[in-house]
């Protein structure tokens, strides 16, 4: 396993929340960056701030990961052997607070495009070059929801966690690691974009975004396939895995909170 992270990092969903914290932390460690998001103006502002604060090179790549053609442009950047990317952070998010039955199917498909297809395509683009160079990290931001049954968001995140753990096995011995990051509630603008006017969970449930990112980077260095920040969320996951499906469903309905709203990519 590598003793530290090295090389250029590509971070999707880099304008806010967990993605922005990944970008800031990696820039502070001296990594050159490629930042990806769909809001070009906001992305350029973030890039300018990172350059000014940390003195690193920051490449801007505007892409809407709902669009397969735009995903391919990001994949082409990851395949570039002349200017390689050795750290991939698949963080772009998509919240979808609606019931599946009677819900907007196009929004469901857009969520899968961002949370599943983009992670698949970008990991597929990055892994061969990393393996050939004998170094690299693929960090896929999943969720504690991947261990629960809280709708199609949980289902998509379950795919991310299982895929990443499987990829870690396939990459074993190559010098490349794959890590699924599974946070619980984090104080970002994610829920506010879904229409929440305040906290959606008690204060004790929230984990600082810095802790999520630092734990994830340490897990990537150590070659751990799954990173669950904080002991309390590791306990939640351990218990969730033991609950009978019917009881798990009742608990998860309470956690879901019955919220409604439109999905938003970040």
């Amino acid at each position: 396993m590598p003793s530290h992270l090295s090389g250029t990092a590509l971070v999707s969903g880099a304008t806010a929340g967990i993605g922005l914290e990944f970008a800031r932390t990696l820039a502070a460690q001296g990594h050159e960056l490629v930042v990806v998001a769909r809001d070009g103006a906001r992305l350029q502002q973030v890039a300018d701030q990172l350059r000014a604060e940390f003195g690193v090179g920051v490449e801007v790549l505007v892409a809407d990961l709902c669009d397969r053609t735009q995903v391919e442009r990001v994949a082409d950047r990851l395949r570039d052997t002349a200017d390689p990317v050795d750290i991939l952070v698949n963080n772009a998010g998509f919240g979808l607070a609606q019931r599946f039955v009677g819900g907007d199917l196009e929004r469901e498909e857009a969520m899968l495009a961002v949370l599943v297809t983009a992670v698949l395509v970008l990991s597929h683009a990055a892994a061969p070059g990393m393996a050939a160079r004998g170094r690299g990290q693929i960090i896929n931001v999943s969720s504690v929801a991947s261990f629960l049954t809280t709708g199609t968001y949980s289902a998509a995140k379950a795919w991310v966690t299982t895929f990443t753990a499987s990829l870690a096995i396939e990459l074993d011995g190559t010098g490349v690691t794959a890590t699924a990051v599974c946070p619980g509630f984090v104080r970002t603008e994610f829920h506010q974009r879904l229409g929440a006017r305040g906290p959606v969970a008690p204060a004790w449930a929230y984990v600082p975004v810095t802790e999520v990112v630092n734990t994830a980077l340490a897990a990537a260095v150590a070659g751990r396939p799954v990173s669950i920040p904080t002991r309390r969320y590791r306990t939640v996951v351990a218990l969730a895995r033991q609950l009978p499906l019917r009881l798990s469903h009742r608990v998860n309905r309470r956690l879901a909170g019955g919220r409604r709203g439109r999905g938003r990519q970040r």
Side-chain angles (χ1 to χ4, degrees):
M1 290 300 104
S3 59
H4 63 282
L5 301 181
S6 62
T8 296
L10 185 148
V11 182
S12 68
T15 55
I18 295 173
L20 178 57
E21 186 61 28
F22 265 112
R24 288 185 56 81
T25 301
L26 289 165
Q29 293 176 359
H31 296 276
E32 304 289 296
L33 295 174
V34 181
V35 291
V36 180
R38 65 174 180 168
D39 185 335
R42 192 173 181 185
L43 189 61
Q44 187 62 60
Q45 183 179 34
V46 166
D48 290 342
Q49 290 172 345
L50 293 171
R51 293 185 193 108
E53 186 171 353
F54 301 108
V56 298
V58 183
E59 179 183 342
V60 170
L61 187 50
V62 179
D64 183 345
L65 300 186
C66 286
D67 185 323
R68 183 65 176 80
T69 301
Q70 295 185 49
V71 172
E72 192 59 29
R73 288 199 291 105
V74 183
D76 284 341
R77 178 63 185 86
L78 290 165
R79 298 185 188 105
D80 185 354
T81 57
D83 187 10
V85 169
D86 285 322
I87 306 166
L88 168 62
V89 181
N90 278 312
N91 165 79
F94 196 107
L96 189 65
Q98 67 174 22
R99 290 184 181 275
F100 176 74
V101 178
D104 186 334
L105 183 58
E106 288 187 4
R107 301 302 295 170
E108 295 282 356
E109 292 177 316
M111 180 187 69
L112 288 177
V114 174
L115 298 187
V116 175
T117 303
V119 172
L120 175 73
V121 172
L122 299 184
S123 297
H124 188 269
M130 290 181 181
R133 293 187 295 274
R135 66 180 186 277
Q137 284 76 37
I138 295 173
I139 300 171
N140 294 328
V141 177
S142 185
S143 173
V144 162
S146 67
F147 303 100
L148 307 174
T149 55
T150 55
T152 52
Y153 179 82
S154 285
K157 289 301 190 179
W159 183 91
V160 174
T161 299
T162 301
F163 163 72
T164 307
S166 301
L167 180 59
I169 293 171
E170 185 171 337
L171 291 170
D172 188 38
T174 66
V176 183
T177 65
T179 301
V181 183
C182 299
F185 289 103
V186 184
R187 291 195 184 279
T188 68
E189 62 185 53
F190 183 72
H191 291 101
Q192 282 63 47
R193 285 191 172 197
L194 290 175
R197 296 182 179 180
V200 297
W204 63 262
Y206 284 89
V207 179
V209 67
T210 52
E211 185 170 357
V212 173
V213 170
N214 289 333
T215 302
L217 293 175
V221 170
R224 292 194 294 273
V226 177
S227 171
I228 304 172
T230 76
R231 180 177 297 176
R232 62 183 177 273
Y233 275 115
R234 289 192 288 273
T235 301
V236 167
V237 169
L239 291 173
R241 287 174 158 175
Q242 300 302 317
L243 288 176
L245 184 59
R246 184 176 294 275
L247 179 57
S248 175
H249 179 63
R250 290 176 181 174
V251 171
N252 293 331
R253 283 186 67 183
R254 288 182 177 274
L255 290 173
R259 297 184 180 275
R260 303 289 177 267
R262 291 186 63 217
R264 297 263 185 115
Q265 183 185 349
R266 66 173 181 265

